[in-house]
Amino acid sequence: MASKVLHAYYNDDDVLMLAVKKVKAAKHHIEEVYCPFPVHGLDKAMGLAPTRIAITSFIYGCIGLGVAVLMMNFIMIEDWPQDIGGKPSFSYIENMPAFVPIMFELTVFFAAHLMVITFYMRSRLWPFKKAENPDVRTTDDHFIMEIEIHDNENELKDLLADTGTVEINIVEKNLH
């Protein structure tokens, strides 16, 4: 199944931001904006929901802290207790100040690595995945705003012509 979309090309990020605001003010839905670099404020201008990846990062950090505590308790207290520097291994609580650096490192390790994996899975960025950008110019110096057409092609073209677009194309987009 395919649908028609309109691609409006821009060569400046400030012009793109003004165009996005103008299109949203005219109550049109922007499917996607392809950019060669991150544009500050574009997500808010498009009306996208805020990300929840910080929540997952906190959860992953807590998992890392838990793994660190359990690992050190088992290794240093239960399985193979050692007298290191005159510090006896009677209980984990007595030796916890010596384990703080390890707890910190594993918290950061788990949060960072699991957050990257979560980001790739959420973004559907698999190894050897074919790129989804519709034009190679979006990796260099052009921005594309993609708007789905609902029998309003001329209205959209007129609206976008006043926004500083350098090119407007109608494309068949395959929905998979």
Side-chain angles (χ1 to χ4, degrees), residues 21-149:
K21 291 175 183 176
K22 192 170 185 178
V23 169
K24 291 302 280 184
K27 305 282 191 244
H28 294 287
H29 176 69
I30 299 171
E31 288 291 322
E32 187 66 73
V33 175
Y34 298 93
C35 302
F37 54 83
V39 177
H40 180 71
L42 184 61
D43 53 344
K44 287 184 179 156
M46 288 178 61
L48 299 177
T51 181
R52 294 184 303 265
I53 200 158
I55 297 168
T56 62
S57 176
F58 177 75
I59 292 169
Y60 295 151
C62 289
I63 291 170
L65 180 64
V67 168
V69 168
L70 291 173
M71 179 187 75
M72 288 181 302
N73 184 52
F74 177 74
I75 293 171
M76 299 298 290
I77 306 300
E78 294 176 20
D79 185 44
W80 195 262
Q82 297 179 31
D83 187 359
I84 300 173
K87 298 176 185 170
S89 300
F90 298 133
S91 72
Y92 181 78
I93 297 297
E94 290 176 308
N95 291 331
M96 195 165 59
F99 298 149
V100 168
I102 298 167
M103 293 188 302
F104 172 76
E105 292 297 331
L106 280 177
T107 300
V108 171
F109 179 84
F110 271 69
H113 286 79
L114 292 175
M115 197 166 57
V116 167
I117 292 169
T118 300
F119 172 75
Y120 283 142
M121 289 175 58
R122 180 70 178 97
S123 301
R124 295 183 182 93
L125 293 173
W126 317 118
F128 310 110
K129 181 181 183 210
K130 186 177 181 287
E132 293 181 4
N133 58 330
D135 193 323
V136 296
R137 293 180 288 178
T138 62
T139 63
D140 184 26
D141 62 350
H142 277 72
F143 305 84
I144 297 178
M145 183 186 333
E146 182 178 276
I147 305 169
E148 191 169 355
I149 298 173

Side-chain angles (χ1 to χ4, degrees), residues 3-6 28 147-157 170:
S3 65
K4 287 173 78 173
V5 293
L6 186 138
H28 294 287
I147 305 169
E148 191 169 355
I149 298 173
H150 301 288
D151 298 327
N152 57 353
E153 184 176 328
N154 293 329
E155 176 190 346
L156 281 172
K157 281 185 177 181
I170 307 296

